Amino acid sequence: MRNHLVAGFTVALFGLSGVTLAKVSESEAKRLGNELTPVGAEREGNASGSIPGWTGGLSQPPADWTPGQIESNPFPEDEPLFVITGDNLDLYRDKLTDGHIRMLEQYGPEFVMPVYQTRRTAAFPEDVYEKSRDNALSAELLANGNGVRGTIMTSPFPIPKNGLEVIWNHILRYRGEELSFRSSSATPQVNGSYNEVVNQYDYFFAYSRRGADLADIDNKIFYLKTDTIAPSTLAGTITLVHETLDQIRSPRLAWRYDAGSRRLRRSPNLAYETDLPNSSSLRAVDQKDMYNGAPNQYDWELKGKREIFVPYNAYKLHDSDVRADDVIRPQHINQELARYELHRVWVVEAKLRTGISHIYSRRVFYVDEDSWQILATEEYDGNNELWRVSEAHNISYYSEPVFWTTMEMTYDLKAQRYYIDGLDNGFPAYDFEPGFRGNQFSASAARRAARR
């Protein structure tokens, strides 16, 4: 990896049996909300001014948006400052990920990166900011980093000391208390032909419920139920997931209902390198949401910070008038709808632990300092050759101040195909207040729902 790092420290973690880490001092925590933002980012911009200071993010929706609508573009007049192509990438190489360099080289001239003005839009509710500071004073990694304690609601380590803390910040970042939405995924062929799989997603974020504590949530981060709507051959398939906080002590619980057999069965292998359902083996389960699950298969190293061009403020991709045909192209998406900006990101490298089996021997994560959202990743095969590149195109949602993905894709450089998820265009807006109850996500409730 190139050595263009804003912070040049590296910290490896694992093999620290019996050791708990984290908790910052009161004096360190006072930096939050001062020179640091409430979630731990650098408040000031960079020296050149190409990254502005953070002034609260997009905490209020645009005047043309009303509740219940798809998020409108808050920057409709923005035009690209420049476009990075395979021909001019050397001008920007120090601000590109290895994955994007490879995409520009392999898929040019069609694959380009339009770069826009940097807008630090990430914002969260005020009580999330308060919990962020509380977590900084109390959160600790459990032995070997397989879980955390002394934390609730949002990212536990706003002032991280190592790579594993950064990854836990992504896993536990605030995404609202509950959420219901519909979107589709696809795995286009090399020529661009595709079939959509439409799913209904219902989330109940136990960890982020207001008033909850770790004792209340029974080691659960969230509950997720997906119901496949189309195509007809898959319609009626239900997947239920109970995502646990310490997956070594209490592994993820998952069930799958197949409409053909009319039975709800446990799915114990829905984790790690298992193929993500309906991904044509182009994505692993632990790549959903860019990274999820127990981090015990890798050694994690914090490489520092970099200023790089990353997907951000993807309101063109999220536009209510855009359809899958507008987005999907052979080998990669329609890059005219993509938006890249210069942001500071934490760089974390994960190397497969000795004696552990996984399809990826090494992974690199680029994590947004303003939101703890993973924005881009690189996945390497057993020969340490770059195999896949993943992107998360994000927006700030309006009905609940949350910065989260609207669309994700994983590009397989060998197969020259990709998996795309989050094609929510043409479906209703995300509902952050569906009124769920925790008992609606039990196995018996899923079984009853399947039989209706």
Side-chain angles (χ1 to χ4, degrees):
M1 172 178 283
R2 298 180 311 282
N3 193 32
H4 302 289
L5 300 176
V6 175
F9 60 89
T10 59
V11 182
L13 186 69
F14 259 125
L16 301 179
S17 179
V19 177
T20 57
L21 299 172
K23 286 188 180 180
V24 301
S25 66
E26 183 69 40
S27 61
E28 283 185 286
K30 287 180 179 178
R31 298 174 62 204
L32 298 169
N34 292 300
E35 69 264 33
L36 299 180
T37 73
V39 303
E42 298 173 47
R43 183 182 291 271
E44 292 188 358
N46 63 1
S48 69
S50 53
I51 296 176
W54 184 81
T55 57
L58 192 61
S59 57
Q60 297 295 325
D64 66 350
W65 179 84
T66 58
Q69 288 183 336
I70 302 295
E71 284 73 15
S72 58
N73 187 350
F75 315 114
E77 305 303 320
D78 281 8
E79 296 291 339
L81 302 175
F82 52 89
V83 177
I84 304 175
T85 69
D87 291 333
N88 68 8
L89 74 85
D90 283 340
L91 297 174
Y92 309 102
R93 189 177 289 269
D94 65 332
K95 289 183 170 57
L96 291 168
T97 69
D98 289 343
H100 282 138
I101 289 173
R102 179 67 175 275
M103 293 284 290
L104 288 160
E105 291 174 339
Q106 180 164 324
Y107 293 130
E110 290 81 12
F111 184 87
V112 299
M113 296 175 62
V115 176
Y116 289 74
Q117 175 184 349
T118 297
R119 296 187 182 274
R120 296 177 68 178
T121 49
F124 299 93
E126 286 298 324
D127 56 350
V128 173
Y129 293 147
E130 294 171 8
K131 282 296 182 182
S132 178
R133 186 180 184 280
D134 292 344
N135 288 347
L137 293 167
S138 61
E140 295 179 306
L141 290 171
L142 299 181
N144 288 324
N146 293 326
V148 296
R149 66 185 178 193
T151 177
I152 201 69
M153 192 181 221
T154 188
S155 300
F157 308 113
I159 306 177
K161 307 299 184 183
N162 56 65
L164 193 51
E165 290 182 5
V166 172
I167 292 301
W168 274 114
N169 281 346
H170 168 79
I171 293 172
L172 296 177
R173 71 200 188 284
Y174 181 77
R175 288 165 283 178
E177 295 184 85
E178 51 186 298
L179 175 63
S180 180
F181 68 94
R182 186 167 293 189
S183 69
S184 64
S185 64
T187 55
Q189 300 295 326
V190 176
N191 64 5
S193 62
Y194 68 94
N195 295 304
E196 292 182 73
V197 176
V198 181
N199 284 301
Q200 172 69 33
Y201 292 88
D202 294 328
Y203 281 94
F204 186 84
F205 293 99
Y207 174 82
S208 295
R209 300 287 291 179
R210 285 166 172 81
D213 58 36
L214 285 185
D216 296 327
I217 67 175
D218 189 29
N219 195 40
K220 303 296 192 302
I221 301 174
F222 63 77
Y223 302 87
L224 167 64
K225 182 169 76 74
T226 66
D227 190 344
T228 303
I229 309 301
S232 58
T233 53
L234 299 174
T237 301
I238 291 176
T239 301
L240 177 66
V241 176
H242 292 183
E243 185 76 343
T244 53
L245 189 58
D246 180 354
Q247 294 197 4
I248 305 306
R249 175 173 66 86
S250 177
R252 168 188 293 156
L253 300 175
W255 297 262
R256 189 170 178 86
Y257 177 87
D258 178 69
S261 66
R262 299 184 62 81
R263 292 185 60 187
L264 184 72
R265 294 188 174 94
R266 282 288 301 273
S267 299
N269 297 321
L270 197 67
Y272 299 122
E273 65 177 341
T274 305
D275 287 345
L276 186 69
N278 304 316
S279 70
S280 298
S281 300
L282 295 172
R283 204 181 209 202
V285 164
D286 66 7
Q287 291 178 271
K288 179 73 173 177
D289 194 34
M290 300 302 281
Y291 182 79
N292 70 82
N296 61 312
Q297 293 192 322
Y298 291 90
D299 291 322
W300 302 84
E301 186 176 0
L302 184 58
K303 310 294 286 189
K305 273 189 182 179
R306 286 183 59 194
E307 296 179 3
I308 59 173
F309 299 118
V310 286
Y312 224 89
N313 292 316
Y315 292 96
K316 283 188 175 181
L317 282 170
H318 186 70
D319 191 281
S320 58
D321 291 331
V322 168
R323 295 294 182 268
D325 278 349
D326 301 313
V327 176
I328 293 175
R329 295 290 184 271
Q331 301 180 326
H332 54 77
I333 69 166
N334 179 1
Q335 288 295 106
E336 292 183 1
L337 296 175
R339 175 177 176 136
Y340 297 85
E341 299 178 2
L342 185 67
H343 285 264
R344 284 184 294 242
V345 299
W346 293 96
V347 183
V348 178
E349 183 179 58
K351 292 183 178 179
L352 194 63
R353 301 182 72 192
T354 302
I356 300 295
S357 175
H358 196 290
I359 59 173
Y360 303 133
S361 65
R362 183 165 70 94
R363 305 163 83 159
V364 181
F365 299 86
Y366 301 92
V367 187
D368 181 29
E369 70 166 350
D370 284 334
S371 64
W372 301 113
Q373 168 71 51
I374 295 173
L375 302 173
T377 69
E378 295 147 6
E379 291 85 28
Y380 293 78
D381 65 16
N383 295 319
N384 199 31
E385 294 181 356
L386 183 58
W387 179 8
R388 290 172 175 167
V389 177
S390 299
E391 291 184 332
H393 295 257
N394 309 271
I395 65 168
S396 289
Y397 290 87
Y398 299 153
S399 57
E400 173 78 0
V402 172
F403 186 82
W404 197 9
T405 56
T406 179
M407 204 170 291
E408 295 181 9
M409 58 282 301
T410 293
Y411 296 105
D412 190 312
L413 300 174
K414 297 179 182 179
Q416 299 192 57
R417 295 180 60 196
Y418 62 101
Y419 168 83
I420 183 169
D421 193 16
L423 291 158
D424 54 12
N425 317 86
F427 297 117
Y430 284 29
D431 183 357
F432 285 90
E433 295 182 304
F436 293 141
R437 299 185 306 277
N439 60 10
Q440 292 177 255
F441 294 84
S442 67
S444 57
R447 189 176 292 109
R448 288 194 299 271
R451 291 173 177 170
R452 287 200 291 269

